Amino acid sequence: MERTLSIIKPDAVKKNVIGKIIDRFESNGLRIAAMKKLQLSEQDAGEFYAVHKDRPFFGELVEFMTSGPVVVMVLEGENAVAKNRELMGATNPKEAAPGTIRADFAESIDANAVHGSDSLENARIEIAFFFAQREIH
Ligand code: CMP
C-alpha cells in the first residue's frame, strides 16, 4: 500500500470540478486518507516547488499556484504514486491521453488541474509538507 500527494490546482477549483476529479481517484481504487482546502502563500509555493526554482517557468508556477485556493489530498492505494500519475495524464494537457484528468479538465501546461508526487520518496516529503500525522487516516 502506497500514499501519494495530490493537489487540485486553482484552475480546477475555480471550474467547480473538485468532486469530478475526486471521483476519478475513488472510482479507480484510490482512497482519500487526508484532505483540506487552502490558499498557498508565495513562500509556501516557493518551498513546495523548490526543485523547480531555477527553471524558467518558476515565477509563473508560483504566481499561478497562489492565484486561488487549492485542495490537497493524501491518496492511498496499491501503486498509488503511479496510479495517480496515470489518472492525471501528461503534464501538458495537449499531450495527455484521452480520458485522463488533464485531458478532460486542464487548459495549459501551467493551468493543468492537478499535481501528483512523481516518486514514493517525493510523496513522503510532499505529504509531510502539508499534513501532520494526526490528519492522515
Ligand atoms: P506539477 O506536476 O505541479 O509540477 C510543476 C509544474 O510546473 C507542472 O505541474 C506544470 O504545471 C508547471 N510547468 C510549467 N511549464 C512547465 C514545463 N515546461 N515543464 C514542466 N512543468 C511545467
Side-chain angles (χ1 to χ4, degrees), residues 1-4 25-26 28-32 75-87 120:
M1 206 57 102
E2 285 181 6
R3 284 175 174 171
T4 189
F25 300 138
E26 291 189 331
N28 287 281
L30 295 174
R31 210 178 60 77
I32 295 171
L75 303 177
E76 187 177 75
E78 246 167 72
N79 298 314
V81 173
K83 173 76 71 70
N84 181 37
R85 291 183 71 79
E86 185 187 316
L87 294 172
L120 202 49

Side-chain angles (χ1 to χ4, degrees), residues 109-129:
I109 196 163
D110 292 304
N112 67 351
V114 278
H115 166 86
S117 309
D118 64 2
S119 66
L120 202 49
E121 192 194 345
N122 282 337
R124 287 199 191 96
I125 295 167
E126 292 181 357
I127 289 168
F129 183 85

Side-chain angles (χ1 to χ4, degrees), residues 33-91:
M35 176 162 72
K36 56 190 166 192
K37 189 180 197 182
L38 56 100
Q39 171 100 32
L40 295 175
S41 67
E42 242 176 70
Q43 192 183 333
D44 292 331
E47 269 177 44
F48 183 77
Y49 280 121
V51 289
H52 295 305
K53 71 177 187 310
D54 295 326
R55 308 282 291 273
F57 57 82
F58 181 73
E60 273 169 44
L61 175 61
V62 169
E63 191 180 331
F64 173 67
M65 290 301 290
T66 56
S67 66
V70 297
V71 173
V72 291
M73 287 170 285
V74 176
L75 303 177
E76 187 177 75
E78 246 167 72
N79 298 314
V81 173
K83 173 76 71 70
N84 181 37
R85 291 183 71 79
E86 185 187 316
L87 294 172
M88 290 194 298
T91 305

Side-chain angles (χ1 to χ4, degrees), residues 86-102:
E86 185 187 316
L87 294 172
M88 290 194 298
T91 305
N92 186 346
K94 290 183 186 78
E95 291 161 13
T100 59
I101 293 169
R102 284 168 169 158

